[in-house]
PDB file of all heavy atoms in Angstrom:
ATOM      1  N   GLY A 291     -41.205  10.739  -3.453  1.00 93.00           N
ATOM      2  CA  GLY A 291     -42.367  10.149  -4.085  1.00 93.00           C
ATOM      3  C   GLY A 291     -42.183   9.709  -5.531  1.00 93.00           C
ATOM      4  O   GLY A 291     -43.032   9.033  -6.096  1.00 93.00           O
ATOM      5  N   SER A 292     -41.066  10.144  -6.131  1.00 96.00           N
ATOM      6  CA  SER A 292     -40.815   9.769  -7.537  1.00 96.00           C
ATOM      7  C   SER A 292     -39.995   8.483  -7.594  1.00 96.00           C
ATOM      8  O   SER A 292     -38.947   8.380  -6.929  1.00 96.00           O
ATOM      9  CB  SER A 292     -40.078  10.875  -8.274  1.00 96.00           C
ATOM     10  OG  SER A 292     -40.847  12.071  -8.312  1.00 96.00           O
ATOM     11  N   SER A 293     -40.436   7.525  -8.366  1.00 97.00           N
ATOM     12  CA  SER A 293     -39.689   6.283  -8.553  1.00 97.00           C
ATOM     13  C   SER A 293     -38.556   6.527  -9.564  1.00 97.00           C
ATOM     14  O   SER A 293     -38.741   7.290 -10.533  1.00 97.00           O
ATOM     15  CB  SER A 293     -40.594   5.167  -9.040  1.00 97.00           C
ATOM     16  OG  SER A 293     -41.608   4.876  -8.091  1.00 97.00           O
ATOM     17  N   LEU A 294     -37.447   5.868  -9.384  1.00 98.00           N
ATOM     18  CA  LEU A 294     -36.350   5.985 -10.301  1.00 98.00           C
ATOM     19  C   LEU A 294     -36.424   4.938 -11.398  1.00 98.00           C
ATOM     20  O   LEU A 294     -36.661   3.748 -11.112  1.00 98.00           O
ATOM     21  CB  LEU A 294     -34.995   5.844  -9.571  1.00 98.00           C
ATOM     22  CG  LEU A 294     -34.727   6.813  -8.408  1.00 98.00           C
ATOM     23  CD1 LEU A 294     -33.262   6.687  -7.958  1.00 98.00           C
ATOM     24  CD2 LEU A 294     -35.039   8.262  -8.795  1.00 98.00           C
ATOM     25  N   PHE A 295     -36.234   5.386 -12.639  1.00 98.00           N
ATOM     26  CA  PHE A 295     -36.262   4.457 -13.781  1.00 98.00           C
ATOM     27  C   PHE A 295     -35.188   4.891 -14.752  1.00 98.00           C
ATOM     28  O   PHE A 295     -34.854   6.084 -14.874  1.00 98.00           O
ATOM     29  CB  PHE A 295     -37.638   4.505 -14.487  1.00 98.00           C
ATOM     30  CG  PHE A 295     -38.743   3.848 -13.733  1.00 98.00           C
ATOM     31  CD1 PHE A 295     -39.575   4.572 -12.904  1.00 98.00           C
ATOM     32  CD2 PHE A 295     -38.938   2.474 -13.815  1.00 98.00           C
ATOM     33  CE1 PHE A 295     -40.589   3.971 -12.206  1.00 98.00           C
ATOM     34  CE2 PHE A 295     -39.958   1.857 -13.116  1.00 98.00           C
ATOM     35  CZ  PHE A 295     -40.807   2.616 -12.306  1.00 98.00           C
ATOM     36  N   GLY A 296     -34.636   3.893 -15.481  1.00 98.00           N
ATOM     37  CA  GLY A 296     -33.712   4.220 -16.545  1.00 98.00           C
ATOM     38  C   GLY A 296     -32.426   3.430 -16.456  1.00 98.00           C
ATOM     39  O   GLY A 296     -32.277   2.487 -15.698  1.00 98.00           O
ATOM     40  N   GLU A 297     -31.448   3.896 -17.257  1.00 98.00           N
ATOM     41  CA  GLU A 297     -30.139   3.295 -17.331  1.00 98.00           C
ATOM     42  C   GLU A 297     -29.087   4.347 -17.072  1.00 98.00           C
ATOM     43  O   GLU A 297     -29.261   5.521 -17.437  1.00 98.00           O
ATOM     44  CB  GLU A 297     -29.896   2.636 -18.721  1.00 98.00           C
ATOM     45  CG  GLU A 297     -30.889   1.570 -19.061  1.00 98.00           C
ATOM     46  CD  GLU A 297     -30.642   0.993 -20.450  1.00 98.00           C
ATOM     47  OE1 GLU A 297     -29.698   1.485 -21.133  1.00 98.00           O
ATOM     48  OE2 GLU A 297     -31.360   0.089 -20.852  1.00 98.00           O
ATOM     49  N   THR A 298     -27.984   3.952 -16.451  1.00 98.00           N
ATOM     50  CA  THR A 298     -26.923   4.930 -16.194  1.00 98.00           C
ATOM     51  C   THR A 298     -25.576   4.212 -16.168  1.00 98.00           C
ATOM     52  O   THR A 298     -25.464   3.061 -15.727  1.00 98.00           O
ATOM     53  CB  THR A 298     -27.148   5.616 -14.831  1.00 98.00           C
ATOM     54  OG1 THR A 298     -26.164   6.638 -14.622  1.00 98.00           O
ATOM     55  CG2 THR A 298     -27.116   4.647 -13.655  1.00 98.00           C
ATOM     56  N   ARG A 299     -24.572   4.873 -16.675  1.00 97.00           N
ATOM     57  CA  ARG A 299     -23.193   4.332 -16.634  1.00 97.00           C
ATOM     58  C   ARG A 299     -22.516   4.847 -15.373  1.00 97.00           C
ATOM     59  O   ARG A 299     -22.523   6.059 -15.070  1.00 97.00           O
ATOM     60  CB  ARG A 299     -22.406   4.765 -17.866  1.00 97.00           C
ATOM     61  CG  ARG A 299     -20.993   4.182 -17.903  1.00 97.00           C
ATOM     62  CD  ARG A 299     -20.176   4.721 -19.066  1.00 97.00           C
ATOM     63  NE  ARG A 299     -18.865   4.104 -19.095  1.00 97.00           N
ATOM     64  CZ  ARG A 299     -17.805   4.494 -18.375  1.00 97.00           C
ATOM     65  NH1 ARG A 299     -17.943   5.515 -17.537  1.00 97.00           N
ATOM     66  NH2 ARG A 299     -16.635   3.874 -18.490  1.00 97.00           N
ATOM     67  N   ILE A 300     -21.898   3.939 -14.645  1.00 97.00           N
ATOM     68  CA  ILE A 300     -21.191   4.279 -13.418  1.00 97.00           C
ATOM     69  C   ILE A 300     -19.794   4.747 -13.740  1.00 97.00           C
ATOM     70  O   ILE A 300     -19.056   4.102 -14.487  1.00 97.00           O
ATOM     71  CB  ILE A 300     -21.160   3.062 -12.459  1.00 97.00           C
ATOM     72  CG1 ILE A 300     -22.596   2.630 -12.134  1.00 97.00           C
ATOM     73  CG2 ILE A 300     -20.405   3.434 -11.214  1.00 97.00           C
ATOM     74  CD1 ILE A 300     -23.465   3.677 -11.482  1.00 97.00           C
ATOM     75  N   TYR A 301     -19.417   5.887 -13.188  1.00 96.00           N
ATOM     76  CA  TYR A 301     -18.083   6.440 -13.453  1.00 96.00           C
ATOM     77  C   TYR A 301     -17.011   5.720 -12.602  1.00 96.00           C
ATOM     78  O   TYR A 301     -17.317   4.868 -11.786  1.00 96.00           O
ATOM     79  CB  TYR A 301     -18.068   7.938 -13.165  1.00 96.00           C
ATOM     80  CG  TYR A 301     -18.741   8.365 -11.886  1.00 96.00           C
ATOM     81  CD1 TYR A 301     -18.092   8.287 -10.650  1.00 96.00           C
ATOM     82  CD2 TYR A 301     -20.056   8.840 -11.881  1.00 96.00           C
ATOM     83  CE1 TYR A 301     -18.696   8.658  -9.499  1.00 96.00           C
ATOM     84  CE2 TYR A 301     -20.700   9.234 -10.712  1.00 96.00           C
ATOM     85  CZ  TYR A 301     -20.006   9.150  -9.515  1.00 96.00           C
ATOM     86  OH  TYR A 301     -20.632   9.500  -8.355  1.00 96.00           O
ATOM     87  N   GLY A 302     -15.766   6.108 -12.808  1.00 97.00           N
ATOM     88  CA  GLY A 302     -14.652   5.446 -12.160  1.00 97.00           C
ATOM     89  C   GLY A 302     -14.687   5.540 -10.644  1.00 97.00           C
ATOM     90  O   GLY A 302     -15.232   6.509 -10.055  1.00 97.00           O
TER      91      GLY A 302
END
Side-chain angles (χ1 to χ4, degrees):
S292 298
S293 298
L294 302 189
F295 288 95
E297 300 179 359
T298 185
R299 182 185 183 277
I300 301 301
Y301 45 82

